[in-house]
Amino acid sequence: VDRKDPQLPWIEDANGRRPLERFCYAHCPQSVQFDVRGPSLHAYISRVQEQYDCTSVADTTPRQRADTADLFEVAPEEVPGIGGIVDLKKRHSEYLLPAEVILFEPTKNEIFYNGGADKTQFRHIFLNTPLSTVENATLGELHRLLAKCGMVESENSAFPRYMESHALRILQTCKFNASKAVDMIKTIVKERVMRLPIAEQDVLSDLNKGFIYWHGRDRKCRPCLVIRLERIGEMATDKERAVRLVMFTLEFALRYALVPGRVENWVVVIDLANVMRTISPLKIGSMASTAAAIATTLEKVYCGRVAWLKIVNMPGGLARVVNGLIPAEKKNKVSFPTNVAAELLERMEPHQLESRYGGAAPDLAPDETYPFHFFRNPRGKAAVLEEHPIESFMSSEREPEDFSMHEFTQLAFHEGLLWDDSSAEAR
């Protein structure tokens, strides 16, 4: 942009393209501070400050920003839409949120499933990005219905904070049926809002069982959730304990590993190895109740987040049953690979995967899975230039930063904004 003009117009070359801006110094000052403005997909450097007195530079010492319980001990409508995991004591991966994830530029095929921008029910990226006329119309309908149900004061009122950034995601999951969306919102209040906050210490022993954990990212920078059912142990018959563990794990990703407008989804590997050993005919009722509660958490409370799901090591007798439980509209995201390594390595770099799945990372014992494991360079060498030409000036051999940006980002950054233009008040 032209920083000499108060309106900051975009600078374009003779072909109407916006040139990549570079900052070069014959004699480098002691420090330079760049101010970034604009939405996530159109950010720009609005001001450059050359500072020769280092005491004037803002403090950028890395620090772990753990949220406190009082953020969530408020009226339900004021509860943040993400987070809720508090009092984190464990030091997390230095690659939890590297700069390449924050700067990831999603293509049309990553914002919409198969690039289907002209269709409904296909969006992957919802926040910090313009919405269609149809999407805004459905948001307006939801505003009116919430007012009619007494969940907000009027149709011009803002959405409650716990669902504000998720409103369109909820509508899409409900096939843009506002009545079904209201029912799902009520489920979110019951299953999520009323359980928060969850302290790390309260679920630490279960985190160390290795039943559910994050491990690496795919080539689209989406974190990979691994679920090892053989490790569920006593939680198989303790619904509340299992749900709290799953919620803590998913809230962790929302709060620290995802970036609104850039990386809003996760991928899942469900490992059924040795699962038949965990199924006791005497406890089938309570186990079914736990499974249903976990399914509600994944499909309703955290709806619309799964980009793809691989079910591996499936016992032969379960294949038909499991496949029959998957809704038709979600079958395109789910697969049952017979060659696990080949299929996962099509989507993930070897160093992002455990050895048991064909990767180069060591297999983790249960008590090694938390703190969660993340790694540098999830996109690898081949993913840099083809779909994201803005990076073409950079070498694919470049070294990523050796610290995680989650040390600097606060809750509001990860919460993001839904660009709701359904009315002047919403706007």
Side-chain angles (χ1 to χ4, degrees):
V1 296
D2 184 357
R3 280 178 289 278
K4 297 179 181 178
D5 187 329
Q7 300 300 318
L8 296 177
W10 290 105
I11 297 175
E12 298 179 345
D13 61 20
N15 297 317
R17 297 177 180 174
R18 296 169 185 169
L20 185 67
E21 190 168 22
R22 306 186 187 191
F23 297 88
C24 304
Y25 297 93
H27 302 285
C28 191
Q30 287 182 309
S31 62
V32 181
Q33 187 162 306
F34 300 89
D35 291 353
V36 182
R37 294 185 181 178
S40 62
L41 298 183
H42 300 283
Y44 60 90
I45 302 297
S46 65
R47 183 175 62 171
V48 182
Q49 291 179 286
E50 299 178 13
Q51 298 173 330
Y52 294 89
D53 179 6
C54 287
T55 60
S56 65
V57 181
D59 176 25
T60 57
T61 304
R63 61 184 67 81
Q64 182 118 349
R65 294 185 181 275
D67 300 328
T68 55
D70 60 332
L71 278 171
F72 302 87
E73 294 171 346
V74 293
E77 63 272 13
E78 298 175 4
V79 170
I82 65 165
I85 54 173
V86 300
D87 300 330
L88 302 187
K89 305 299 182 184
K90 297 288 185 177
R91 190 71 179 178
H92 291 280
S93 171
E94 62 182 336
Y95 304 114
L96 170 55
L97 188 66
E100 66 178 315
V101 175
I102 287 183
L103 298 176
F104 180 73
E105 291 281 356
T107 65
K108 186 177 179 180
N109 283 337
E110 289 147 16
I111 295 174
F112 298 94
Y113 180 76
N114 286 340
D118 56 330
K119 306 174 184 177
T120 55
Q121 305 177 37
F122 283 90
R123 182 181 283 276
H124 279 170
I125 301 296
F126 294 78
L127 304 176
N128 300 357
T129 191
L131 307 181
S132 71
T133 301
V134 172
E135 289 168 333
N136 276 301
T138 59
L139 286 170
E141 183 181 355
L142 183 58
H143 276 289
R144 290 187 289 274
L145 189 54
L146 288 174
K148 185 177 179 180
C149 295
M151 297 176 70
V152 294
E153 289 186 5
S154 74
E155 63 181 61
N156 295 324
S157 300
F159 289 126
R161 186 178 177 186
Y162 65 81
M163 60 152 290
E164 186 172 20
S165 59
H166 308 304
L168 186 59
R169 196 184 302 273
I170 293 169
L171 278 165
Q172 178 172 283
T173 301
C174 296
K175 300 180 180 179
F176 295 94
N177 183 314
S179 295
K180 291 182 178 180
V182 169
D183 291 338
M184 183 175 284
I185 291 165
K186 292 177 180 177
T187 298
I188 292 172
V189 173
K190 176 184 175 183
E191 300 296 334
R192 176 184 180 267
V193 176
M194 295 306 177
R195 281 191 171 98
L196 299 179
I198 301 174
E200 180 186 68
Q201 187 59 39
D202 293 341
V203 293
L204 187 57
S205 62
D206 289 332
L207 285 166
N208 288 327
K209 296 186 185 306
F211 161 58
I212 182 170
Y213 56 95
W214 298 104
H215 191 282
R217 296 176 181 268
D218 75 353
R219 291 193 181 94
K220 307 300 182 183
C221 294
R222 299 173 293 214
C224 181
L225 182 69
V226 180
I227 300 177
R228 300 279 300 275
L229 284 180
E230 67 175 313
R231 294 175 173 178
I232 193 170
E234 297 174 354
M235 286 181 286
T237 56
D238 190 336
K239 178 176 70 175
E240 182 62 22
R241 182 174 160 191
V243 168
R244 286 173 63 83
L245 173 64
V246 171
M247 283 187 61
F248 180 95
T249 305
L250 300 183
E251 292 286 347
F252 181 94
L254 291 174
R255 174 62 181 85
Y256 295 108
L258 300 186
V259 181
R262 296 180 182 268
V263 181
E264 295 186 15
N265 303 90
W266 47 64
V267 300
V268 184
V269 175
I270 298 180
D271 190 343
L272 299 183
N274 304 316
V275 69
M276 302 304 292
R277 298 178 186 176
T278 68
I279 300 177
S280 168
L282 300 177
K283 299 179 179 179
I284 197 70
S286 57
M287 293 177 70
S289 177
T290 299
I294 292 176
T296 295
T297 303
L298 290 170
E299 291 297 315
K300 294 185 177 180
V301 180
Y302 301 95
C303 63
R305 293 288 181 178
V306 177
W308 54 260
L309 186 152
K310 309 292 182 186
I311 300 177
V312 305
N313 299 318
M314 169 82 75
L318 287 181
R320 181 175 297 180
V321 175
V322 173
N323 192 48
L325 295 174
I326 301 170
E329 68 272 13
K330 296 181 180 177
K331 288 186 182 293
N332 59 351
K333 294 184 177 182
V334 181
S335 65
F336 306 85
T338 53
N339 188 333
V340 176
E343 190 156 331
L344 288 176
L345 288 172
E346 286 181 3
R347 297 175 178 269
M348 301 180 69
E349 289 294 307
H351 66 283
Q352 303 285 327
L353 280 168
E354 289 178 82
S355 175
R356 66 180 286 107
Y357 304 122
D363 291 333
L364 299 179
D367 60 358
E368 295 175 326
T369 57
Y370 186 81
F372 303 125
H373 291 246
F374 291 87
F375 310 91
R376 64 165 56 192
N377 196 20
R379 299 180 59 202
K381 297 179 181 179
V384 176
L385 307 181
E386 206 167 18
E387 295 180 344
H388 303 277
I390 192 171
E391 299 177 5
S392 61
F393 76 98
M394 301 174 70
S395 166
S396 60
E397 299 290 341
R398 70 190 187 284
E399 289 293 318
E401 298 288 353
D402 284 336
F403 62 84
S404 171
M405 299 299 291
H406 86 280
E407 302 279 9
F408 301 91
T409 56
Q410 297 184 356
L411 186 144
F413 171 86
H414 292 277
E415 200 167 11
L417 292 173
L418 180 68
W419 291 4
D420 180 359
D421 285 339
S422 59
S423 68
E425 291 80 3
R427 201 174 297 120

